[in-house]
Amino acid sequence: SGAQDEQDLPAVCLAIVHLLSKFERAELHYQNPMWLHKFMTVTVSGRVPLKDVKAWEHKLLANVRWRLVVPNAETWVTAFVARLDALSRNAFTPTLVWTRDHILARIRSVELETPDHGMPPRQLAIGLIGLVSAGFLPHESVLEASGPAFPTYGFPPKISQRILELLLDAICCRCIDLCSACALVAGLSQPPAGQVLLI
């Protein structure tokens, strides 16, 4: 029945948000998906009872047979590199494959060295991609976050800007978020004095 479906829609949406919030804070562009819960409870006539939300959570999970794929840093990197390869029309495939493999090795290293780093997987992936790409990018904050261990390649500003645009499209975030993630990851990855960090 259409009327019942419309009445259930707020509870279903909130159930999805609650499920997402349980998986690494589901950061798409927001640190906390509760913004949607607050928005919906203000804009939807009447509040949605928590028992309805929980019931829909259970129904949704039952419909997927309780099998959800939770993205980790490795899956985020793989997705970002695949997007970047597609956006660049496969112009840099060999370089991107090498970059992906290099970042995946660095993720394992970060997880072993600082298992309690507390960074969500998506943010860790963005930070590592940003640091590896820092030499190609025009944004000074990314270069500052990367530190002296990373070379700069001196591309013309127009090309560097285009690389940055493609990267931001591939990782679906703003430049400020990229810079922030780079700074956090660089803080995790400080090499001992006298050693060069090879990400």
Side-chain angles (χ1 to χ4, degrees):
S1 69
Q4 184 60 42
D5 291 343
E6 286 179 27
Q7 288 175 344
D8 289 339
L9 187 59
V12 172
C13 290
L14 284 172
I16 292 170
V17 169
H18 280 228
L19 283 171
L20 290 175
S21 69
K22 293 174 184 178
F23 296 108
E24 300 301 335
R25 295 186 286 281
E27 342 171 55
L28 299 172
H29 289 292
Y30 303 93
Q31 288 291 56
N32 187 346
M34 292 312 294
W35 68 272
L36 182 57
H37 185 277
K38 290 174 186 171
F39 171 77
M40 289 189 67
T41 54
V42 169
T43 57
V44 174
S45 59
R47 295 186 67 100
V48 178
L50 188 58
K51 67 177 181 54
D52 292 352
V53 174
K54 295 291 184 187
W56 273 104
E57 267 187 66
H58 190 272
K59 287 178 190 176
L60 290 169
L61 288 170
N63 282 335
V64 296
R65 293 189 175 108
W66 297 85
R67 285 181 273 166
L68 296 179
V69 177
V70 181
N72 56 30
E74 290 89 350
T75 56
W76 280 115
V77 166
T78 302
F80 293 154
V81 169
R83 290 179 198 166
L84 190 54
D85 194 34
L87 288 169
S88 65
R89 297 183 178 151
N90 308 103
F92 309 108
T93 301
T95 302
L96 289 173
V97 168
W98 179 89
T99 301
R100 182 202 60 212
D101 293 345
H102 200 58
I103 293 170
L104 293 177
R106 185 64 195 137
I107 287 171
R108 288 185 213 70
S109 176
V110 166
E111 297 290 346
L112 286 172
E113 293 167 14
T114 54
D116 59 344
H117 58 74
M119 288 184 72
R122 183 175 183 272
Q123 188 179 36
L124 178 61
I126 287 171
L128 285 169
I129 286 177
L131 290 177
V132 168
S133 307
F136 299 103
L137 304 178
H139 202 279
E140 292 176 3
S141 295
V142 175
L143 293 173
E144 288 170 14
S146 68
F150 295 91
T152 56
Y153 300 103
F155 284 129
K158 215 174 189 179
I159 293 175
S160 290
Q161 186 60 39
R162 184 63 185 138
I163 291 170
L164 176 62
E165 290 166 5
L166 289 172
L167 180 62
L168 293 174
D169 284 346
I171 61 178
C172 299
C173 79
R174 301 171 300 168
C175 194
I176 192 168
D177 300 324
L178 172 63
C179 295
S180 172
C182 286
L184 288 170
V185 171
L188 293 176
S189 304
Q190 292 303 319
Q195 288 187 13
V196 175
L197 174 66
L198 297 174
I199 283 195

